[in-house]
């Protein structure tokens, strides 16, 4: 009986070690990607600039309201109400600047404009 338990225990130890290593590499990869994105000079400048939500609203009305509605409640594009609770500032910057979500165009505002836009989105 001990001979059968030993191989099962050894197998469980090996599986635990493999799962632990896999989780470590996944977490390390995610942290690495995050740190790489945050180290982007544009992102750093946006995140360190003080935001002016009133100015951000004007930027929103010019560039975003046509699809997201004048109050951000959705139209062609989705509602942006509580968007800052659903997406981080980093994800919002990426969403706005990447153009990866058609029909939303690629949009590269100046860092101060992006900071102001983020400030306004936090008010929705």
């Amino acid at each position: 009986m001990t001979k059968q338990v030993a191989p099962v225990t050894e197998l469980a130890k090996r599986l635990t070690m493999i799962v632990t290593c896999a989780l470590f590499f996944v977490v390390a990869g995610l942290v690495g990607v995050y740190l790489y994105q945050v180290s982007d000079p544009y992102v750093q400048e946006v995140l360190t600039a003080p935001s002016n939500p009133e100015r951000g609203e004007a930027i929103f009305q010019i560039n975003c309201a046509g699809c997201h509605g004048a109050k951000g409640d959705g139209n062609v594009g989705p509602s942006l109400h509580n968007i800052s609770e659903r997406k981080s500032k980093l994800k919002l910057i990426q969403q706005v600047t990447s153009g990866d979500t058609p029909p939303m165009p690629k949009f590269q505002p100046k860092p101060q404009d992006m900071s102001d836009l983020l400030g306004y989105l936090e008010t929705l």
Side-chain angles (χ1 to χ4, degrees):
M1 188 176 220
T2 11
K3 290 183 180 182
Q4 290 179 346
V5 173
V8 172
T9 304
E10 186 63 33
L11 179 62
K13 286 180 183 179
R14 287 182 186 208
L15 285 174
T16 301
M17 181 63 88
I18 290 170
V19 169
T20 302
C21 287
L23 285 173
F24 172 78
F25 285 115
V26 167
V27 169
L30 291 173
V31 168
V33 167
Y34 175 79
L35 291 175
Y36 173 75
Q37 290 173 335
V38 172
S39 70
D40 180 299
Y42 176 80
V43 171
Q44 286 182 347
E45 197 169 340
V46 170
L47 294 176
T48 57
S51 67
N52 178 342
E54 292 167 357
R55 190 167 177 280
E57 181 178 12
I59 294 166
F60 180 87
Q61 293 304 320
I62 293 167
N63 297 287
C64 313
C67 291
H68 293 286
K71 302 276 185 198
D73 36 351
N75 192 8
V76 174
S79 169
L80 298 177
H81 286 270
N82 301 312
I83 190 70
S84 60
E85 294 173 15
R86 297 189 310 262
K87 290 192 176 206
S88 68
K89 287 183 178 183
L90 182 63
K91 290 291 183 187
L92 288 170
I93 293 168
Q94 182 181 17
Q95 182 91 36
V96 169
T97 61
S98 72
D100 289 341
T101 53
M104 188 167 159
K106 188 173 184 174
F107 178 54
Q108 184 80 31
K110 294 177 187 171
Q112 183 61 58
D113 293 344
M114 187 71 225
S115 177
D116 294 340
L117 182 60
L118 290 174
Y120 174 67
L121 292 176
E122 288 177 352
T123 70
L124 295 177

